[in-house]
């Protein structure tokens, strides 16, 4: 058989590259040594290791020839293991194996910067800030409510975990392919609830009648919140996990979710993470809202996803005042493929091809008739498709284009697209790269002006320099919350796009071409489902560092210290409109864990404050009791819609002549700093409004002291407008920032 010319060149290139690598390439190895065999002549282990490297230089003649630099000692270990890491060639490694004391060696492996890189993006580090202050979340118990868990994942191993807290009352419930031994000091509880499914259909057969995950979603979010040190560690790697499965292949019912949350409070969880939501229903019929209210009354904070129905306004879910509602954003990590044109121009495109392939010196074609890439019949007429790269413009849906290119068996494609949805999808089954319109014009110009245009593409490249970042995901649902318009939602923005986390290895993860399905222990997924467990993990660590803080105080600390700016120093943008994101898209900003550890001031709220809010909502007695459980035991003599919340929203009717309106808010802020402090108000008023604050200075003499102020907004419709109030500490480092939203009331919400 005669190979196509481009494949023949690829084979020759690969052979030469492999040959040169075998001759010249060095690798870093982790080397284990037997310290008992260290000769007495050495003063310590470091001298022994250095001498070992020196002896290799002497025994391997090629150690310093033109293909090799000298072998190099990288680290010398003597505590967690005894041995060293060193840069060695194959010949030097062979010589090392013959030396006294050698035990074993293996290549240094890449370790993902974790929860996919988000711990680095969130600036969590072991030497300062929230991680060490909270002991990495040690002994805080996070309840995860989802599709279960894959207990064998290394993310849920209990290496380095101390004994389970004695206050824990939960169980590890056995079931199908799941026994009690699968729980440990990390995964301390696993329970499942499906009576609601069976009640709906008594004939249904629950195929996985246990806490085992056959969907993948639950495993993914659990490892984000608190996965142990592994390829993709969690935000709070020393927190405990209690898993409550209520979502099954056979159905997902709110009755099961309520039962799961009810049991979790009895078991003793400190934090809840929920990545589910309902289509709009009134608050008194919303199971998550109702159960979260009960959890809050017991001191448990619920972190829940905002939903993925953005970018339209009013699409947000889980917007009840007592829930930490989390929006989704992009991080600074880019998955790339490099496109190199025949004229030498290199373009870094976006690609998530899950295969190690190289497209070398292949013909590139651009044809306006074919550029839609929407017709398999037309693409099948391309000459020599297995050696051809086609250019697809964005006149057709990207996923449909990808499928059509795959079916036509073209070698690769260059997709010209700026659709934000493309960059959230983890599906990329065919060789190709996505480039923007400006780059697309350069590529098309090259093809149209060349006699024989060619290009090469390399894949599986990762970069940590994307700018701007964070960016609000277009799919992230937007506020205001239709369940209650009186509180601006969402509360916070957290990483939620292409998040790497654990996954069941027997569940479909991604594909190559049209008929090859792949599985993996870790996969990338996007959505507010991924953002909520990030926030839950951070909240858990704040609880560990400040066990006296209430759920409201924790949420306040996260909101008032959030970052409104991206890594270019400019306001965070909304990827849908490529303009500054509003509080109804990102809440107070992107969560900053280390600043939240020491917020200066917090807006706290007691259970009675939330009851006073319920009393103001004009509910019937039945509706009120549905949420609060009883009206007889609650005092509604002081109803108040003005909850002590770290944000402000002023509402006006779309009807009328838009004369000046006025709304007042009263807030109380508690000093959680170290002692005496003075704060001054800094106001950025929304357009078409005037904002005043009284008093303009808050003076604290002691820690835990409370001070109150009144914020007055005079405004006129008909536009959406946004501003902020920031309390700035004099001669200190604290700034306490709260967004101000002016919003119309839209009846059809």
């Amino acid at each position: 058989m005669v190979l196509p010319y481009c494949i023949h060149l690829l084979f020759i290139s690969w052979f030469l590259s492999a040959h040169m690598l075998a001759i010249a390439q060095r690798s870093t190895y982790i080397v284990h040594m037997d310290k008992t065999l260290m000769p007495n002549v050495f003063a310590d282990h470091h001298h022994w290791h250095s001498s070992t490297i020196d002896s290799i230089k002497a025994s391997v003649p090629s150690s310093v020839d033109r293909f090799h630099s000298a072998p190099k000692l990288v680290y010398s270990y003597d505590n967690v293991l005894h041995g060293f890491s060193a840069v060695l060639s194959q010949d030097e490694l062979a010589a090392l194996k013959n030396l006294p004391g050698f035990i074993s060696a293996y290549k240094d492996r890449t370790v993902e910067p974790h929860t996919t890189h988000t711990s680095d993006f969130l600036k969590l580090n072991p030497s300062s800030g929230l991680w060490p202050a909270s002991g990495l979340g040690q002994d805080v118990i996070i309840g995860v409510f989802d599709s279960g868990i894959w207990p064998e994942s290394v993310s849920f191993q209990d290496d380095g975990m101390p004994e389970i807290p004695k206050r824990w009352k939960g169980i590890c419930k056995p079931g199908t392919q799941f026994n009690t031994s699968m729980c440990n000091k990390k995964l301390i509880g696993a329970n499942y609830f499906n009576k609601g499914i069976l009640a709906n259909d008594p004939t249904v057969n629950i195929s996985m009648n246990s806490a085992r995950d056959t969907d993948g979603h639950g495993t993914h979010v659990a490892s984000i919140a608190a996965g142990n040190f592994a390829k993709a560690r969690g935000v709070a790697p020393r927190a405990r996990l209690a898993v409550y499965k209520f979502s099954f292949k056979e159905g997902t019912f709110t009755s099961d979710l309520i039962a799961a949350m009810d049991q979790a409070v009895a078991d003793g969880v400190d934090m809840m993470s929920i990545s589910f939501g309902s289509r709009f229903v009134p608050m008194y019929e919303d199971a998550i809202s109702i159960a979260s209210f009960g959890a809050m009354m017991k001191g448990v904070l619920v972190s829940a996803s905002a939903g993925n129905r953005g970018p339209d306004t009013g699409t947000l879910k889980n917007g009840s005042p007592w829930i930490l509602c989390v929006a989704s954003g992009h991080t600074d990590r880019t998955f790339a493929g490099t496109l190199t044109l025949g004229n030498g121009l290199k373009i870094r495109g976006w690609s998530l091809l899950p295969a190690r392939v190289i497209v070398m010196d292949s013909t590139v074609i651009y044809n306006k008739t074919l550029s839609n890439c929407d017709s398999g019949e037309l693409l099948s007429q391309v000459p020599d498709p297995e050696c051809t790269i086609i250019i697809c413009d964005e006149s057709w849906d990207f996923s449909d284009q990808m499928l059509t290119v795959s079916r036509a068996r073209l070698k690769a494609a260059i997709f010209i697209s700026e659709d934000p949805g493309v960059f959230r999808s983890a599906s990329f089954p065919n060789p190709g790269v996505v480039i923007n319109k400006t780059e697309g014009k350069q590529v098309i110009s090259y093809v149209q002006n060349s006699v024989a245009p060619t290009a090469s593409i390399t894949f599986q490249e990762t970069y940590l320099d994307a700018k701007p970042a964070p960016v609000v995901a277009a799919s992230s649902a937007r506020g205001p919350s239709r369940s209650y318009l009186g509180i601006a939602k969402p509360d916070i923005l957290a990483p939620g796009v292409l998040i790497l986390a654990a996954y069941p290895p027997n569940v479909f993860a991604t594909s190559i071409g049209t008929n090859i399905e792949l599985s993996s222990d870790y996969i990338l997924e996007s959505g507010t489902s991924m953002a909520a467990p990030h926030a839950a993990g951070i909240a858990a660590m704040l609880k560990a560092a400040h066990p006296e803080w209430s759920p409201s105080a924790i949420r306040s600390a996260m909101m008032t210290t959030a970052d409104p700016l991206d890594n270019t120093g400019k306001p965070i943008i909304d990827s849908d409109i490529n303009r500054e994101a509003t509080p109804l898209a990102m809440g107070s900003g992107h969560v900053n864990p280390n600043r939240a550890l020491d917020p200066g001031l917090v807006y706290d709220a007691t259970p009675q404050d939330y009851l006073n809010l319920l009393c103001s909502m004009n509910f019937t007695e039945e509706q009120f009791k549905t949420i609060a459980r009883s009206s007889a035991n609650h005092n509604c003599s002081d109803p108040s819609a003005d909850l002590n919340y770290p944000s402000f929203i002023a509402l006006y009717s779309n009807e009328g002549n838009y004369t000046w309106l006025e709304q007042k808010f009263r807030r109380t802020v508690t000093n959680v700093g170290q002692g005496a402090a003075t704060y001054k108000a800094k106001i950025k008023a929304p357009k078409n409004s005037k904002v005043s604050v009284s008093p303009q200075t808050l003076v604290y003499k002691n820690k835990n002291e409370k001070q109150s102020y009144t914020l007055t907004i005079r405004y006129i419709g008909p536009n959406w407008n946004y501003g902020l109030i920031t309390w700035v500490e004099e001669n200190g480092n604290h700034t306490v920032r709260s967004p101000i939203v002016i919003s119309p009331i839209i009846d059809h919400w």
Side-chain angles (χ1 to χ4, degrees):
M1 181 180 71
V2 179
L3 294 173
Y5 182 67
C6 65
I7 297 177
H8 184 68
L9 288 177
L10 175 61
F11 177 79
I12 293 174
S13 174
W14 174 85
F15 177 81
L16 291 174
S17 297
H19 180 65
M20 292 303 295
L21 286 172
I23 294 173
Q25 189 176 43
R26 292 173 175 271
S27 298
T28 301
Y29 291 84
I30 309 298
V31 181
H32 293 256
M33 302 288 285
D34 185 349
K35 192 177 180 180
T36 64
L37 298 179
M38 182 177 74
N40 293 332
V41 66
F42 297 111
D44 57 34
H45 63 282
H46 182 79
H47 285 88
W48 183 32
H49 300 157
S50 297
S51 177
T52 301
I53 296 297
D54 290 340
S55 67
I56 292 173
K57 292 178 185 178
S59 63
V60 181
S62 61
S63 283
V64 256
D65 63 18
R66 65 191 181 95
F67 291 113
H68 297 75
S69 57
K72 179 183 177 182
L73 182 68
V74 179
Y75 285 109
S76 186
Y77 309 118
D78 193 39
N79 295 301
V80 294
L81 61 86
H82 186 83
F84 56 87
S85 54
V87 179
L88 303 169
S89 69
Q90 288 289 326
D91 290 341
E92 291 156 359
L93 178 62
L96 173 64
K97 291 179 179 179
N98 295 322
L99 296 179
F102 176 85
I103 297 175
S104 64
Y106 46 84
K107 282 187 178 181
D108 194 11
R109 297 175 178 86
T110 300
V111 180
E112 281 286 340
H114 295 157
T115 327
T116 180
H117 161 65
T118 48
S119 57
D120 284 350
F121 185 61
L122 294 169
K123 295 181 172 58
L124 290 166
N125 69 81
S127 59
S128 64
L130 185 55
W131 260 2
S134 68
L136 301 166
Q138 184 166 307
D139 286 350
V140 178
I141 302 168
I142 303 175
V144 176
F145 302 80
D146 216 287
S147 62
I149 194 94
W150 190 264
E152 293 85 358
S153 170
V154 294
S155 290
F156 309 123
Q157 292 180 356
D158 62 358
D159 298 346
M161 301 290 294
E163 293 301 315
I164 297 172
K166 292 182 179 179
R167 60 188 172 85
W168 172 244
K169 299 176 183 177
I171 64 171
C172 189
K173 185 177 179 180
T176 308
Q177 298 181 27
F178 203 105
N179 57 59
T180 56
S181 66
M182 291 175 175
C183 291
N184 54 31
K185 296 174 185 176
K186 160 60 73 174
L187 178 61
I188 64 173
N191 210 333
Y192 55 98
F193 302 83
N194 53 33
K195 290 181 181 178
I197 298 172
L198 296 171
N200 181 67
D201 182 1
T203 66
V204 72
N205 177 41
I206 305 294
S207 57
M208 187 58 69
N209 195 31
S210 70
R212 181 171 291 280
D213 185 11
T214 57
D215 174 82
H217 193 269
T219 298
H220 202 266
V221 300
S223 70
I224 290 171
N228 208 339
F229 291 91
K231 289 184 177 180
R233 71 178 170 227
V235 174
R238 285 289 184 256
R240 315 295 180 140
L241 275 171
V243 170
Y244 298 85
K245 179 179 177 180
F246 76 96
S247 178
F248 291 75
K249 182 176 71 174
E250 292 77 17
T252 302
F253 287 85
T254 56
S255 56
D256 293 326
L257 173 57
I258 294 172
M261 295 177 72
D262 189 68
Q263 184 62 54
V265 171
D267 291 344
V269 303
D270 300 300
M271 209 67 52
M272 294 187 183
S273 180
I274 302 175
S275 293
F276 281 76
S278 303
R279 294 196 177 187
F280 175 68
V281 292
M283 184 185 292
Y284 47 83
E285 294 179 3
D286 185 339
I288 295 177
S289 176
I290 295 166
S292 297
F293 184 88
M296 177 275 300
M297 296 289 281
K298 297 288 187 179
V300 177
L301 177 63
V302 176
S303 174
S305 51
N308 303 317
R309 292 186 175 271
D312 293 339
T313 57
T315 54
L316 177 140
K317 307 297 186 296
N318 298 322
S320 294
W322 41 85
I323 293 175
L324 177 65
C325 183
V326 190
S328 169
H330 296 253
T331 71
D332 64 348
R333 184 172 68 173
T334 300
F335 299 98
T338 297
L339 170 68
T340 304
L341 302 180
N343 62 2
L345 177 65
K346 290 182 180 292
I347 298 173
R348 184 200 293 181
W350 185 85
S351 182
L352 262 177
L353 179 70
R356 294 185 180 276
V357 300
I358 301 176
V359 175
M360 289 288 290
D361 297 329
S362 300
T363 299
V364 187
I365 64 170
Y366 175 72
N367 184 305
K368 287 187 177 180
T369 304
L370 301 176
S371 64
N372 285 352
C373 294
D374 61 342
S375 170
E377 182 179 352
L378 288 176
L379 291 183
S380 66
Q381 299 172 15
V382 172
D384 203 6
E386 293 183 354
C387 287
T388 300
I389 303 172
I390 191 163
I391 298 174
C392 303
D393 62 29
E394 65 173 352
S395 58
W396 199 255
D397 179 74
F398 169 75
S399 58
D400 290 340
Q401 287 181 331
M402 178 70 78
L403 181 61
T404 305
V405 169
S406 295
R407 288 175 174 170
R409 299 187 180 278
L410 288 158
K411 185 162 190 180
I414 300 168
F415 300 97
I416 301 171
S417 180
E418 294 179 349
D419 176 8
V422 171
F423 308 102
R424 297 190 305 270
S425 173
S427 176
F428 210 109
N430 200 69
V433 289
V434 181
I435 61 177
N436 64 36
K437 292 179 181 178
T438 301
E439 295 162 339
K441 289 179 181 178
Q442 292 177 292
V443 175
I444 292 171
S445 175
Y446 161 71
V447 171
Q448 291 177 333
N449 293 285
S450 299
V451 176
T454 62
S456 301
I457 310 175
T458 56
F459 301 97
Q460 295 195 330
E461 301 169 2
T462 302
Y463 299 92
L464 305 178
D465 58 358
K467 288 183 173 59
V471 173
V472 178
S475 61
S476 187
R478 308 305 205 262
S481 168
R482 289 194 288 175
S483 69
Y484 182 66
L485 293 173
I487 298 290
K489 292 284 182 170
D491 295 311
I492 204 81
L493 180 69
V497 177
L498 294 178
I499 304 300
L500 183 71
Y503 209 68
N506 64 346
V507 176
F508 166 75
T510 188
S511 62
I512 297 177
T514 57
N515 58 359
I516 300 176
E517 295 186 345
L518 304 177
S519 64
S520 177
D521 293 326
Y522 294 87
I523 72 164
L524 297 160
E525 286 200 317
S526 299
T528 56
S529 284
M530 287 66 247
H534 276 93
I538 293 166
M541 291 190 291
L542 290 172
K543 184 68 174 178
H546 299 286
E548 74 283 4
W549 282 6
S550 69
S552 294
I554 291 171
R555 178 178 54 208
S556 173
M558 295 170 70
M559 290 177 64
T560 62
T561 59
D563 291 325
L565 305 179
D566 60 30
N567 56 5
T568 70
K570 296 180 180 179
I572 292 171
I573 66 169
D574 188 322
S575 64
D576 176 59
I577 57 178
N578 201 31
R579 293 199 303 264
E580 182 176 342
T582 74
L584 298 180
M586 69 170 186
S588 294
H590 195 267
V591 64
N592 185 323
N594 296 323
R595 286 195 63 214
L597 174 65
D598 181 22
L601 307 176
V602 295
Y603 294 77
D604 206 352
T606 67
Q608 184 60 49
D609 292 331
Y610 286 101
L611 286 167
N612 291 342
L613 179 66
L614 281 182
C615 292
S616 74
M617 289 186 184
N618 199 30
F619 286 151
T620 66
E621 183 178 356
E622 178 182 313
Q623 293 164 353
F624 179 89
K625 290 195 299 185
T626 298
I627 302 172
R629 286 183 281 186
S630 169
S631 58
N633 297 326
H634 300 312
N635 182 3
C636 269
S637 62
D638 188 23
S640 175
D642 193 12
L643 184 67
N644 195 42
Y645 212 81
S647 66
F648 302 83
I649 183 167
L651 301 168
Y652 65 87
S653 172
N654 263 328
E655 300 177 357
N657 59 2
Y658 303 116
T659 56
W660 284 96
L661 305 172
E662 183 175 292
Q663 191 164 343
K664 290 187 176 182
F665 304 84
R666 180 177 171 81
R667 294 291 188 266
T668 299
V669 275
T670 305
N671 177 24
V672 294
Q674 292 305 307
T678 299
Y679 287 82
K680 285 195 172 182
K682 181 180 179 181
I683 301 290
K684 180 182 178 182
K687 293 179 181 179
N688 300 322
S689 72
K690 298 178 181 179
V691 178
S692 61
V693 60
S694 178
Q696 296 182 346
T697 302
L698 301 177
V699 179
Y700 295 90
K701 296 179 180 179
N702 302 297
K703 184 176 182 178
N704 296 323
E705 183 180 344
K706 298 179 184 295
Q707 295 286 346
S708 297
Y709 70 91
T710 300
L711 183 84
T712 303
I713 306 175
R714 294 188 69 236
Y715 55 96
I716 185 170
N719 298 318
W720 303 81
N721 293 310
Y722 315 96
L724 59 92
I725 175 174
T726 306
W727 289 98
V728 181
E729 184 182 16
E730 288 189 339
N731 303 315
N733 298 318
H734 298 109
T735 56
V736 186
R737 180 180 172 277
S738 296
I740 299 170
V741 178
I742 297 176
S743 167
I745 300 171
I746 300 178
D747 293 336
H748 67 260
W749 284 347

